[in-house]
C-alpha cells in the first residue's frame, strides 16, 4: 500500500494565514468579517429584500438566519446600511465610503499576496481546490 500524496496541512495553514490577514485588514477599517460579508452582499445587490439577503447569507454558509439578522441589525445601528420604505436594504453614504475603502485596500492586499504568481498557476490551484471541495462534499454533504 502506497501513501497518498496530499497537502491538507498546507491548505489548512494557508487558510489560517489568509483569514488572519483578512481579519487584520478589516479590523483596520473597524469592521469584522461577519459584518463585512453582509455589507459586501448589500453592495453587490443594491436595495435587496431583507429576507432574500438573510437567505443569501445562509446559502453562502457565512451566517445562519439568526446571526444574519443580528449582523444586519448591528450594521443598521452603526448607520452603515439602511432600510427603505419598501423593506429593502442598501448601503448608507457612510457604508458606501467604508465599502470603497475596504475594496481598495483588498485590491492592494491581493496584489501583495498573489502578484507575480503566473495566472496558469492560479488557475491550476483553483481547479485542484475545486476538486478537493467537490470530493469533500461527497464525503460530508454539509460542505
Amino acid at each position: 500500500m502506497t501513501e497518498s500524496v496530499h497537502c491538507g496541512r498546507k491548505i489548512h495553514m494557508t487558510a489560517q494565514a489568509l483569514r488572519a490577514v483578512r481579519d487584520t485588514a478589516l479590523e483596520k477599517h473597524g469592521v469584522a468579517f461577519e459584518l463585512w460579508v453582509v455589507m459586501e452582499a448589500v453592495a453587490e445587490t443594491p436595495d435587496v429584500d431583507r429576507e432574500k439577503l438573510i437567505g443569501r447569507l445562509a446559502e453562502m454558509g457565512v451566517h445562519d438566519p439568526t446571526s444574519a439578522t443580528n449582523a444586519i441589525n448591528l450594521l443598521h445601528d452603526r448607520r452603515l446600511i439602511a432600510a427603505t420604505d419598501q423593506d429593502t436594504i442598501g448601503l448608507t453614504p457612510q457604508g458606501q465610503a467604508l465599502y470603497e475603502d475596504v475594496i481598495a485596500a483588498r485590491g492592494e492586499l491581493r496584489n501583495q499576496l498573489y502578484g507575480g504568481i503566473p495566472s496558469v498557476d492560479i488557475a491550476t490551484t483553483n481547479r485542484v481546490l475545486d476538486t478537493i471541495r467537490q470530493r469533500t462534499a461527497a464525503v460530508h454533504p454539509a460542505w
Side-chain angles (χ1 to χ4, degrees), residues 14 24-25 28 32 41-42 72 79 88 90-91 97 101 108 111 115 119 128 131 138:
T14 302
T24 300
K28 288 179 182 178
V42 170
I72 290 167
R79 295 189 171 113
T88 60
L91 294 176
D101 288 347
E108 292 173 20
N111 192 46
S119 59
V128 170
T131 299

Side-chain angles (χ1 to χ4, degrees), residues 31-46:
V31 63
F33 175 73
E34 292 75 14
L35 299 178
W36 170 249
V37 293
V38 177
M39 289 185 66
E40 192 170 34
V42 170
E44 291 172 356
T45 312

